[in-house]
């Protein structure tokens, strides 16, 4: 019952945020880039729902456009790490031996780096840009997916129903597509759902540190970076962008949690990620 | 026991080796060398040549790697391009304040999480359980830098009872003063980590409480305390240790951002300012240092498993 | 010794209560082995858990329980805690999962002794070793130091038995104690259980789906079907002449050397309806009346009870 509530609330929130992002040009009350010298740092009003920033830009409109960046970074980087992670996890579990050792040790190596540290290191080498942020987040996110896919496949391969499928003469390809993947999909789906909020958070942190998506593109992170200097005078400047980061991350966590409960997976089942290490 | 220990140890060595290679290659992937990274410096080409030769940067990659590795083993991590001082010295100056913040945040968050996690696991679905679950889900969703800003807004500006930034008031290094400065960054770090840990502790304890051996212990008439401390907790300790080790990188990430928000003079803020200045020797060393620390912590966790669980021996 | 009256165990789901055990009443006396048989889902284990006070947190339990003349209140968990381990012991189905994997098996037994008898650990360990020897866990001193994963299934079940009887409870419940074991080991465990009952004059509630086990061990048998006790009889009489069609069906499903056809128990039947006999949908003698009226457990002859409108007679049994 409760799982349905969190899943439901999470999905509604996500749908709401995605709608805001897609319809940003329609909903926005002002142009996010238009500055106005006389209207800087105005508190929230009926004209500017979330107030204005240091250049007199409308924060409400900028937050809407920021949703586009955050959500696309979150989802695209999740797709990329899901792709890389699933592929490498399947390869490792399918071939075993040396391939397995090399892939999994490489995953171990990436995992011991704090992801933000690795991200800012990579960003420091190249010029900060949207695509780089997506790739960097994906680059630090794939190892957990790869580990999960590998341990799921290994677990399922030893299960009785795969053995009976083999006894019935199913070919390798059929075993993988008809038996392994459909059963491994639940935990992977949950992991992917929980990958999105991590990516949104990393993007926001990077932009906040000035190492992510660069101005003038409005993102929640770089709005917060600007806001920090005016924290004492304009609470709304920092409050609204941060609140949207929170709501977005919360929505995906709720969904992931709801999915996990709906699929009957335990949180500590993640222990499996260390299996064989 | 011994063979398992040796295997884990070898794996850790392999990971450490991988860490050094990755760090080295990533740094090497930097477009051009540090002198070219800053186009404003119009340097004489021959001077650049001489500079490269001096640092053996004109040799094949493998030699450069080996030379770098041997310097690392001798404790020579190079000089900061920004400060013109040995990296190790600069890091050494900043490490204590980072350790102070990180370790106290970790210890506090873990202690609270274990206490609260056990409490709510033993009364699953009570109002307290639901409350903690919801708050912790919100806790892992709050960006820590934003939480920091909100706290500064509240406790430094609106109700000015705590300092917003820094580690100590100039001229005052008393413990009380440091504690005052530490309170806000500590609060931010504890909040996020507590939220993460408490969820794991709860589900680890719940998992074990559903096991047959707990039911059997009840059937033997043992008291709830004996069951909790002798049967449930030792078995729940393993996933909790796993989480502690796995969350170390996140702890560092959290410390980095928290230090930046509160201008805490530690390693985290140092790495961020160094990154913006493209101070490669510093970036490289900090990467190597934290990644190795995490790898070693994972090894310690593995050793703890072996000590706790006879099935692994 | 133990008297159960109108025991009901149910689970609430979406405002509707599904009863796993419906209005069961029975008793066990000292020195008696009472077998409970029935297919999976018939409510045998729930009955056992309710008597031990170990039902799942979301279960609803009603009825009266008298243990050695004392009434036990279902609402008071405290009362049970004083009984469990000392007056009531329990052996479970799977010895692999019922022993804590982190402790040497000797410690599991010593811990219970230590806790209940308030004796020092050293003395408890000595007593545990003595118990191990008497239960054939040999060599006791070595075995006591070993961990569950190092022992065979049979030895683990002996350890579990040792932990259950170390304080000499006057009621022992064994829930499918031999199901997870090899056939060769089954008899040994059953012998140990019987020996304990005879020596200590305690009562044993033996739950099994295996009629062979029941026939070998029990003095008296309860047959359960969908949460209802459908028949109660001394073991020999039950096997010679079952009164309830369900009992007959159970026996016909046993493999026999003199027949080459195995009878399946048809489980489909009609969906569970709230009125009528619980077995009506699967009963080959079912009449219209059975679908409408729920039969009560009635006494047929001395110590034979059956819950059927039209009990089998000798002529009708196959």
């Amino acid at each position: 019952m409760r799982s349905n509530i969190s899943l439901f609330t999470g999905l509604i929130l996500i749908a709401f945020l995605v709608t805001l992002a897609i319809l940003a040009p329609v909903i926005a009350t002002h142009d996010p880039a238009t500055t106005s010298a006389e209207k800087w740092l105005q508190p929230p009003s009926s004209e500017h729902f979330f107030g204005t920033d240091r250049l007199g830009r409308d924060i409400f409109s900028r937050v809407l456009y920021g949703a586009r960046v955050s959500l696309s970074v979150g989802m695209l980087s999740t797709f990329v790490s899901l792709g890389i992670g699933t592929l490498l996890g399947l390869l490792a579990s399918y071939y075993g031996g040396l391939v397995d050792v090399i892939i999994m040790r490489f995953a171990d190596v990436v995992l011991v780096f704090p992801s933000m540290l690795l991200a800012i290191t990579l960003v420091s080498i190249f010029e900060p840009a949207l695509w780089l942020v997506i790739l960097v987040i994906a680059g630090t996110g794939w190892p957990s997916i790869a580990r999960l896919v590998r341990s799921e496949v290994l677990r399922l391969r030893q299960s009785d129903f795969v053995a009976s499928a083999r006894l019935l003469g199913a070919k390798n390809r059929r075993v993988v597509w008809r038996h392994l993947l459909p059963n491994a999909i639940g935990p992977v789906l949950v992991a992917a759902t929980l990958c999105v909020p991590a990516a949104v958070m990393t993007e926001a942190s990077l932009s906040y540190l000035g190492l992510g998506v660069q101005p003038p593109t409005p993102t929640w992170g770089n709005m917060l970076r600007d806001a920090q200097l005016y924290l004492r005078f304009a609470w709304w400047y920092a409050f609204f962008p941060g609140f949207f980061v929170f709501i977005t991350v919360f929505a995906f966590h709720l969904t992931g949690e709801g999915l996990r409960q709906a699929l009957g997976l335990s949180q500590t089942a993640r222990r499996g990620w260390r299996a064989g290490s | 026991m011994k063979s398992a220990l040796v295997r884990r140890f070898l794996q850790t060595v392999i990971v450490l080796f991988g860490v050094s290679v990755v760090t080295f290659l990533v740094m090497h992937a930097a477009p051009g060398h540090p002198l070219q990274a800053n186009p404003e410096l119009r340097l004489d080409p021959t001077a650049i040549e001489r500079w490269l030769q001096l640092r053996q940067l004109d040799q094949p990659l493998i030699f450069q790697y080996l030379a770098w590795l041997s310097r690392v083993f001798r404790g020579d991590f190079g000089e900061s391009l920004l400060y013109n001082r040995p990296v190790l010295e600069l890091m050494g100056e900043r490490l204590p304040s980072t350790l102070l913040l990180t370790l106290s945040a970790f210890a506090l968050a873990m202690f609270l999480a274990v206490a609260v996690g056990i409490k709510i696991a033993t009364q699953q679905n009570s109002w307290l359980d639901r409350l903690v679950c919801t708050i912790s889900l919100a806790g892992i969703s709050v960006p820590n830098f934003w939480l920091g800003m909100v706290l500064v807004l509240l406790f430094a500006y609106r109700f000015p009872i705590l300092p917003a930034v820094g580690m100590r008031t100039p001229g005052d290094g008393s413990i009380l003063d440091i504690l005052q400065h530490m309170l806000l960054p500590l609060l931010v770090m504890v909040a996020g980590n507590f939220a993460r840990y408490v969820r794991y502790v709860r589900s680890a304890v719940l998992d074990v409480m559903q096991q047959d051996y707990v039911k059997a212990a009840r059937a033997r008439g043992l008291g709830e305390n004996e069951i909790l401390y002798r049967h449930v907790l030792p078995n729940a300790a393993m996933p909790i240790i796993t989480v502690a080790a796995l969350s170390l990188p996140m702890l560092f990430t959290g410390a980095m951002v928290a230090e930046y928000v509160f201008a805490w003079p530690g390693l985290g803020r140092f790495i961020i300012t160094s990154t913006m200045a493209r101070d490669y020797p510093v970036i490289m060393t900090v990467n190597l240092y934290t990644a190795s620390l995490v790898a070693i912590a994972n090894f310690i966790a593995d050793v703890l498993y072996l000590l706790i669980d006879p099935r692994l021996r | 010794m133990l008297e159960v009256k109108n025991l009901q165990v149910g689970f609430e789901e979406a405002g509707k209560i599904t009863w796993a055990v419906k209005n069961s009443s029975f008793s066990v006396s000292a020195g008696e082995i009472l077998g409970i048989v029935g297919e999976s889902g018939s409510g045998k284990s729930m009955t056992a858990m309710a008597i031990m006070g170990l039902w799942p947190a979301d279960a609803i339990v009603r009825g009266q329980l008298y243990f050695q003349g004392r009434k036990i209140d279902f609402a008071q968990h405290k009362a049970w805690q004083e009984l469990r381990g000392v007056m009531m012991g329990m052996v479970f189905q799977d010895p692999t999962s019922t022993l804590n994997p982190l402790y040497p098996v000797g410690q599991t037994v010593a811990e219970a002794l230590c806790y209940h008898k308030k004796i020092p650990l050293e003395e408890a360990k000595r007593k545990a070793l003595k118990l191990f020897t008497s239960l054939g866990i040999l060599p006791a001193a070595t075995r006591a130091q070993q961990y569950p994963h190092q022992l065979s299934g049979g030895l683990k079940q002996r350890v579990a038995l040792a932990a259950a009887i170390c304080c000499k409870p006057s009621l022992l419940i064994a829930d499918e104690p031999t199901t997870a074991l090899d056939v060769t080991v089954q008899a040994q465990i059953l012998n140990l259980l019987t020996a304990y009952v005879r020596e200590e004059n305690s009562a044993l509630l033996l739950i099994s789906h295996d009629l062979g086990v029941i026939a070998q061990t029990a003095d008296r048998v309860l047959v359960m079907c969908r949460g209802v006790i459908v028949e109660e009889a001394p073991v020999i009489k039950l096997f010679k002449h079952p009164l309830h069609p369900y009992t007959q069906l159970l026996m016909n499903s046993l493999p026999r050397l003199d027949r080459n056809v195995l009878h399946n128990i048809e489980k489909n039947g009609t969906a569970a309806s709230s009125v009528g006999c619980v077995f009506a949908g699967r009963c080959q003698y079912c009449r219209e009346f059975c679908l409408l009226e729920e039969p009560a457990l009635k006494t047929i002859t001395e110590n034979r009870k059956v819950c059927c409108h039209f009990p089998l007679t000798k002529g009708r049994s196959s």
Side-chain angles (χ1 to χ4, degrees):
Chain A
M1 226 21 224
R2 272 185 71 221
S3 75
N4 290 346
I5 291 173
S6 20
L7 188 59
F8 188 69
T9 323
L11 286 175
I12 292 271
L13 273 174
I14 292 174
F16 174 67
L17 289 161
V18 169
T19 317
L20 284 188
I22 293 174
L23 297 182
V26 184
I27 305 172
T29 48
H30 295 74
D31 182 87
T34 308
T35 59
S36 161
E38 59 266 29
K39 287 209 294 184
W40 66 296
L41 291 187
Q42 286 194 345
S45 61
S46 55
E47 163 85 32
H48 300 283
F49 300 145
F50 293 174
T52 61
D53 70 0
R54 68 195 163 97
L55 298 174
R57 292 173 296 192
D58 180 51
I59 294 180
F60 175 69
S61 310
R62 290 177 68 73
V63 163
L64 289 183
Y65 279 90
R68 299 187 142 194
V69 178
S70 284
L71 289 175
S72 43
V73 168
M75 293 187 186
L76 285 177
S77 58
T78 299
F79 279 128
V80 179
S81 42
L82 199 61
I84 303 176
T86 310
L87 183 70
L88 291 182
L90 282 180
L91 284 179
S93 52
Y94 191 84
Y95 289 105
L98 196 61
V99 180
D100 185 24
V101 169
I102 291 173
I103 292 176
M104 290 335 281
R105 284 306 144 251
F106 185 47
D108 283 349
V109 170
V110 177
L111 274 179
V112 295
F113 283 95
S115 59
M116 268 290 286
L117 184 59
L118 201 56
I120 69 171
T121 305
L122 290 172
V123 170
S124 77
I125 291 168
F126 307 99
E127 287 302 315
L130 187 63
W131 65 266
L132 181 68
V133 171
I134 293 174
L135 282 188
V136 159
I137 294 174
T140 56
W142 68 266
S144 356
I145 303 275
R147 274 188 168 192
L148 180 67
V149 169
R150 174 180 172 275
S151 70
E152 278 298 302
V153 171
L154 289 184
R155 182 177 67 82
L156 291 169
R157 213 161 58 175
Q158 285 171 353
S159 66
D160 291 341
F161 69 87
V162 169
S164 62
R166 279 193 200 283
L167 280 176
L168 290 171
K171 297 245 165 34
N172 260 341
R173 194 189 295 170
R174 190 180 158 80
V175 168
V176 168
W177 289 112
R178 294 286 308 230
H179 297 282
L180 292 185
L181 272 182
N183 279 290
I185 212 120
V188 175
L189 194 66
V190 172
T193 315
L194 295 175
C195 228
V196 181
V200 170
M201 196 78 108
T202 308
E203 185 274 326
S205 307
L206 280 176
S207 297
Y208 165 72
L209 296 174
L211 297 164
V213 181
Q214 298 296 301
T217 312
T219 70
W220 296 336
N222 63 31
M223 290 169 81
L224 282 164
R225 178 179 177 77
D226 290 345
Q228 184 155 32
L229 292 172
Y230 302 92
L231 197 55
R232 190 181 278 244
F233 321 105
W235 61 269
W236 59 90
Y237 200 171
F239 180 78
F240 292 107
F243 186 72
F244 269 79
V245 178
F246 165 66
I247 284 296
T248 309
V249 173
F250 189 62
F252 280 98
H253 275 309
L254 265 184
T255 310
E257 202 56 36
L259 264 181
R260 199 210 311 274
Q261 284 173 18
L263 295 169
L265 302 166
S266 147
Q267 186 160 29
T268 34
R270 285 197 191 183
R271 258 179 305 198
W273 293 14
R274 284 189 69 89
S277 67
Chain B
M1 170 97 189
K2 244 187 196 150
S3 71
L5 205 61
V6 168
R7 228 184 68 219
R8 300 281 145 112
F9 181 73
L10 284 180
Q11 276 175 1
T12 309
V13 170
I14 293 173
V15 168
L16 284 174
F17 169 73
V19 163
S20 74
V21 172
V22 167
T23 317
F24 180 79
L25 286 182
V26 164
M27 279 304 129
H28 214 86
H33 44 75
L35 292 189
Q36 279 171 347
N38 194 344
E40 280 152 42
L41 290 171
R42 294 232 187 83
L43 291 170
D44 178 19
T46 53
I48 292 179
E49 196 88 347
R50 217 171 42 242
W51 190 88
L52 286 177
Q53 265 171 13
L54 204 67
R55 285 166 178 75
Q56 297 169 317
L57 290 179
D58 52 347
Q59 298 200 355
L61 208 54
I62 178 83
F63 285 110
Q64 288 189 39
Y65 169 72
L66 289 174
W68 171 73
L69 200 62
S70 83
R71 283 202 302 276
V72 164
F73 275 118
R74 275 180 275 127
D76 174 9
F77 291 89
E79 280 199 350
S80 156
L81 303 175
L82 201 63
Y83 298 85
N84 283 321
R85 282 174 57 201
V87 174
L88 217 53
E89 216 177 284
L90 290 164
M91 279 179 62
E93 287 163 10
R94 286 157 180 82
L95 191 61
S97 51
T98 291
L99 284 184
L100 177 69
L101 187 62
T102 320
L103 290 184
S104 33
F106 173 75
L108 210 58
M110 198 39 123
F111 174 76
L112 285 175
V114 169
V116 176
I118 292 169
K119 173 93 183 140
I120 57 174
T122 51
Q123 36 184 283
Q124 197 189 357
N125 292 335
S126 64
W127 65 268
L128 186 70
D129 181 35
R130 278 164 201 227
L131 184 74
V132 174
C133 280
T134 314
I135 290 180
S136 67
L137 198 66
I140 54 175
S141 308
V142 172
N144 51 3
F145 54 96
W146 183 63
L147 183 63
M149 286 158 110
V150 171
L151 289 180
V152 166
L153 199 61
L154 281 178
F155 295 111
Y157 297 155
R158 192 57 46 98
F159 313 105
I161 47 174
L162 288 169
V165 293
M167 187 181 179
R168 60 166 70 109
T169 320
D172 186 354
S174 68
I175 292 179
L176 195 70
D177 184 58
I178 292 180
L179 274 181
Q180 258 188 8
H181 281 85
M182 205 167 114
L183 211 53
L184 285 184
L186 191 66
L187 203 59
V188 167
M189 287 190 64
V190 168
N193 288 306
F194 167 76
R196 192 168 299 120
Y197 297 153
V198 81
R199 303 175 67 75
Y200 275 102
V201 173
R202 174 181 180 272
S203 81
V205 171
L206 277 180
D207 266 7
V208 176
M209 286 206 304
Q210 283 156 11
Q211 298 294 319
D212 281 349
Y213 53 78
V214 173
K215 199 161 72 177
R218 279 217 173 90
R220 260 178 265 134
L222 300 184
E224 285 304 311
N225 278 335
E226 278 73 18
I227 290 174
L228 190 62
Y229 291 112
R230 290 192 34 86
H231 293 273
V232 176
L233 287 191
N235 281 288
M238 303 244 284
I240 296 174
I241 290 171
T242 307
V243 167
L246 276 181
S247 73
L248 266 189
M250 257 186 260
L251 196 70
F252 281 112
T253 301
M256 238 159 63
V257 179
E259 285 181 8
Y260 187 78
V261 175
F262 293 100
W264 186 263
L267 265 187
R269 205 169 66 104
F270 184 48
I271 173 83
I272 291 166
T273 48
S274 303
T275 309
M276 289 173 187
R278 317 229 152 164
D279 195 345
Y280 291 133
V282 172
I283 305 173
M284 199 161 173
T285 313
V286 173
N287 267 297
L288 194 67
Y289 172 77
T290 32
S292 311
L293 218 58
V294 174
I296 290 166
N298 280 338
F299 175 66
I300 294 174
D302 284 338
V303 174
L304 285 178
Y305 291 170
L306 289 175
L307 288 179
I308 293 176
D309 195 336
R311 285 166 297 185
L312 299 173
R313 285 177 211 151
Chain C
M1 235 269 322
L2 174 79
E3 200 176 351
V4 180
K5 273 188 182 161
N6 305 321
L7 179 72
Q8 289 177 295
V9 185
F11 295 90
E12 192 177 339
E13 204 177 325
K16 223 185 91 194
I17 300 176
T18 319
W19 295 104
V21 179
K22 295 172 197 162
N23 250 340
S24 302
S25 303
F26 61 92
S27 63
V28 204
S29 44
E32 185 188 32
I33 301 179
L34 177 68
I36 302 185
V37 277
E39 60 203 23
S40 47
S42 59
K44 340 174 269 245
S45 289
M46 261 322 142
T47 306
M49 290 326 245
I51 295 170
M52 288 297 285
L54 289 175
W55 58 83
D58 53 344
I60 302 160
V61 182
R62 289 183 198 154
Q64 289 97 43
L65 199 64
Y66 298 91
F67 185 72
Q68 295 182 326
R70 239 175 76 201
K71 185 175 178 184
I72 308 174
D73 191 347
F74 280 115
Q76 282 189 317
H77 274 267
K78 192 91 190 125
W80 257 298
Q81 192 148 6
E82 284 158 17
L83 291 176
R84 284 198 296 253
V86 191
M87 308 299 279
M88 301 173 165
M90 181 153 182
V91 181
F92 294 86
Q93 173 171 352
D94 181 7
T96 309
S97 62
T98 49
L99 294 172
N100 190 330
L102 304 187
Y103 295 123
V105 292
Q107 208 170 322
T108 302
V109 178
E111 177 195 40
L113 274 168
C114 213
Y115 181 80
H116 289 302
K117 303 248 153 143
K118 310 270 182 295
I119 51 174
L121 189 65
E122 284 313 306
E123 201 187 329
K125 279 185 177 164
R126 269 202 309 280
K127 285 197 164 181
L129 285 188
K130 257 171 84 185
L131 190 56
F132 273 20
T133 314
S134 70
L135 290 176
I137 307 166
L138 299 169
T142 324
R143 293 299 185 202
Q145 303 284 330
Q146 286 181 315
Y147 291 93
H149 71 278
Q150 294 168 314
L151 300 181
S152 68
L155 277 178
K156 271 185 279 197
Q157 194 62 301
R158 282 170 202 242
V159 171
L161 179 61
I165 64 173
C166 63
C167 296
K168 306 222 183 319
S170 45
L171 171 68
L172 187 61
I173 299 180
D175 186 359
E176 306 268 9
T178 56
T179 308
L181 303 176
D182 288 345
V183 182
T184 46
V185 186
Q186 280 190 6
Q188 298 170 358
I189 296 292
L190 290 176
N191 285 341
L192 288 174
L193 283 170
T194 317
Y196 174 74
V197 172
R198 303 293 177 238
E199 268 165 39
E200 302 294 330
N201 194 34
S202 70
L204 172 64
L205 209 59
L206 179 67
I207 295 168
S208 182
H209 67 276
D210 186 342
L211 285 173
V213 166
I214 296 290
Q216 227 179 83
T217 321
D219 302 323
R220 199 155 54 88
V221 187
L222 301 178
V223 183
M224 283 189 83
C225 174
R226 290 203 359 216
V228 173
I229 297 174
V230 293
E231 186 166 359
E232 184 188 328
V235 67
I236 298 172
K237 287 188 179 160
L238 184 87
F239 278 83
K240 259 194 179 157
H241 175 51
L243 289 180
H244 197 282
Y246 177 65
T247 317
Q248 187 191 38
L249 201 62
L250 278 181
M251 288 179 190
N252 286 348
S253 67
L254 277 180
R256 276 168 58 166
L257 285 176
D258 56 353
R259 280 199 222 130
N260 50 12
V261 182
L262 276 179
H263 288 257
N264 277 335
I265 295 190
E266 295 290 333
K267 270 199 94 167
N268 43 8
T270 50
S273 74
S274 50
V275 290
C277 172
V278 287
F279 188 56
R282 289 152 60 189
C283 183
Q284 54 172 320
Y285 313 112
C286 177
R287 304 182 196 176
E288 200 175 332
F289 184 58
C290 302
L291 294 170
L292 299 172
E293 188 83 11
E294 193 172 349
L297 191 65
K298 54 185 180 239
T299 309
I300 299 291
T301 56
E302 191 200 350
N303 60 39
R304 290 211 69 167
K305 290 178 188 168
V306 69
C307 178
C308 182
H309 293 303
F310 311 101
L312 300 176
T313 55
K314 268 186 187 144
R316 247 169 66 186
S317 48
S318 55

